Amino acid sequence: MDAHEIRNSYLAFLQSNGHTVIERAPLVPRGDTSTLFNGSGMQSLLPFLLGAEHPAGKRLTDSQPCVRAQDIDDVGDNRHTTFFEMLGNWSLGDYFKETQIRQFFTFLVDIVGLDPQKIYVTCFIGDAENGIPRDDEAAAIWQTVFAEKGITAEVAEIGSQADGDARGVRPGERIFFYDGGENWWSRGGSLAGTPIGDPCGPDSEVFYDFGPEFQDASFGLAHPASDGGQFMEIGNQVFMQYRRLDDGSFEELARRNVDFGGGLERIAAASIGSDDVFRISLLWPIIAALQNLTGRSYEDETSSMRIIADHLRGATFLAVDGVRPSNKEQGYVMRRLLRRAIRLALSLGLTENFFAEIVPVIADLYADDYPEVAASRDEVIAVLVKEENSFRRTLEGGLLALADYQGQTLTGADVFRLSDTHGFPKELSVEEARRLGIAVADDWQAEFALALEEQRARSRGATRLGAAGLPGGAPGAGA
Ligand code: SER
């Protein structure tokens, strides 16, 4: 199955199990300023997980486009993307562990066609201090569903991720117990980090095994929660049955919920047996177009092409949801994505504008499934192309100025000057200098910060004097 078929058959399957397909949330959360972007399917459902009645009922499903800007520096490897779709289903006080585990396993094995031998799962080990039991119930359900496929799934007690890195997986083991750093879901990322007032609970995560040849040994021995590459998380079933109280303790919610989130791109990668999400049907056409445009191969330029494809896809969806490039908040993240794509394209020899060739490819990948993408296609292309034009001018001016430093060492004060007079973002100056073989002073960051602070102090002084009504504040210190 390709990604499009996986998304549609997931929603159809959940509908056949009594779920209502709800409208996705916009990438910029409505009426919630706690985060810049919607980073999971459950984010807009928090009030319902805490007990409010949802108008669409107790069984809900959707595919939620998400942006995780905090992952921007991880993009370039085989699995991280700033934009992704999360397949979601929820039981609001309706079914619980057994139905959820069977439902997801059936979807993966009987509908998508994954080999159950390659599926590994994790459960919560328990937390004595907070009186939360070990999730033997989930483990027993997993044993039953694996047994129905003729697989004897042994249980292993791991603990922390580091414990697993040292221990690895032993033959026959398929169900792994981890602690509250791994198998507890809260918006704070762990049991200890659960924000006060938030719903939370133990989770059971599902992993796909690509085989031992994919493990990077520098991460230690392979086990599901390792970051080494052999195992990739493809879904997370949260048994949301607690809420954290003011005193830090956990109380049981009146209603037990299920919050399931699955990575569409990752399930699609497992379905084609590739550990590289960029090989799936929603990303590969972008890479193919980049290969055509640059005349270079993905094999040689893997990381740059991944970043360009991811960033332009993310920026396209942001534009669809009404974000426009700017110097603050969501608009700033969007600008960063676009500028980074342009800079990397430069290193692939793309010195001319190219968004007009790539953005339509991206829009067309989503136009059939997301009518809002089809409806805003031309406007989105225009928004991105406009930003490309304006950054291209900045880039050319800055590169010209940078060329003067050939044979010298670029200092923090120089970087500041380039940013102040040419609007040339600081990371760009440094990256481009290195690419051009210009030495960069080790302490450039400290010196840059100092120059920025001096300028702020000057401009504060100017504001106090009210000099000709000039506004205070520092000019754009770069992206
Ligand atoms: N809340 C869980 C997650 O974000 C499942 O939806 O992974």
Side-chain angles (χ1 to χ4, degrees), residues 40 42 68 86 185 236 238 259-261:
S40 69
M42 56 76 71
R68 290 193 178 169
M86 193 184 273
W185 199 90
N236 186 7
V238 186
D259 160 33
F260 165 76

Side-chain angles (χ1 to χ4, degrees), residues 140-415:
I141 298 165
W142 277 119
Q143 282 190 312
T144 307
V145 299
F146 277 118
E148 287 166 7
K149 297 286 176 193
I151 298 170
T152 307
E154 284 171 29
V155 169
E157 192 96 1
I158 303 288
S160 68
Q161 185 185 39
D163 295 333
D165 294 343
R167 179 192 182 278
V169 169
R170 297 179 190 154
E173 293 174 347
R174 196 169 286 278
I175 301 169
F176 299 82
F177 280 103
Y178 289 93
D179 65 17
E182 292 299 322
N183 277 87
W184 184 269
W185 199 90
S186 76
R187 288 197 297 172
S190 64
L191 188 142
T194 305
I196 304 291
D198 264 22
C200 55
D203 66 35
S204 180
E205 302 178 14
V206 179
F207 292 78
Y208 190 78
D209 175 15
F210 287 104
E213 64 276 25
F214 288 93
Q215 181 69 11
D216 175 346
S218 68
F219 287 86
L221 297 174
H223 62 110
S226 157
D227 293 322
Q230 175 172 345
F231 293 94
M232 178 163 72
E233 185 189 340
I234 55 175
N236 186 7
Q237 326 183 80
V238 186
F239 306 119
M240 258 193 204
Q241 60 188 118
Y242 296 97
R243 172 197 176 102
R244 194 164 210 188
L245 299 178
D246 289 343
D247 65 4
S249 66
F250 295 85
E251 72 161 358
E252 292 234 22
L253 291 170
R255 271 185 356 197
R256 300 184 307 182
N257 310 299
V258 171
D259 160 33
F260 165 76
L264 171 64
E265 286 84 350
R266 291 178 173 201
I267 296 172
S271 155
I272 58 168
S274 167
D275 70 322
D276 179 356
V277 299
F278 291 87
R279 296 268 175 194
I280 70 165
S281 58
L282 289 173
L283 282 157
W284 187 252
I286 314 174
I287 302 278
L290 285 170
Q291 291 193 117
N292 271 339
L293 269 178
T294 59
R296 306 215 188 163
S297 73
Y298 179 60
E299 281 67 28
D300 291 338
E301 305 289 355
T302 311
S303 155
S304 301
M305 287 192 183
R306 284 172 175 168
I307 296 173
I308 298 170
D310 167 71
H311 287 14
L312 290 185
R313 186 172 72 140
T316 299
F317 249 92
L318 286 171
V320 168
D321 280 10
V323 180
R324 295 293 177 263
S326 76
N327 282 335
K328 57 179 220 256
E329 298 171 345
Q330 289 90 355
Y332 177 70
V333 174
M334 182 182 189
R335 177 161 272 172
R336 239 187 112 193
L337 293 172
L338 292 171
R339 293 182 165 193
R340 206 149 171 251
I342 295 170
R343 282 154 48 195
L344 283 163
L346 204 61
S347 72
L348 299 181
L350 281 185
T351 52
E352 304 286 324
N353 287 351
F354 68 101
F355 284 8
E357 321 290 328
I358 300 291
V359 182
V361 172
I362 299 173
D364 292 345
L365 289 169
Y366 291 93
D368 287 343
D369 295 322
Y370 289 93
E372 62 273 34
V373 175
S376 60
R377 187 179 185 273
D378 294 345
E379 193 190 339
V380 163
I381 298 170
V383 165
L384 299 201
V385 164
K386 184 169 165 227
E387 176 71 4
E388 182 180 32
N389 283 329
S390 97
F391 187 58
R392 183 77 57 194
R393 285 192 293 276
T394 304
L395 194 61
E396 281 166 4
L399 286 175
L400 218 57
L402 198 58
D404 290 342
Y405 291 93
Q406 204 60 259
Q408 303 172 34
T409 297
L410 194 73
T411 67
D414 299 329
V415 175

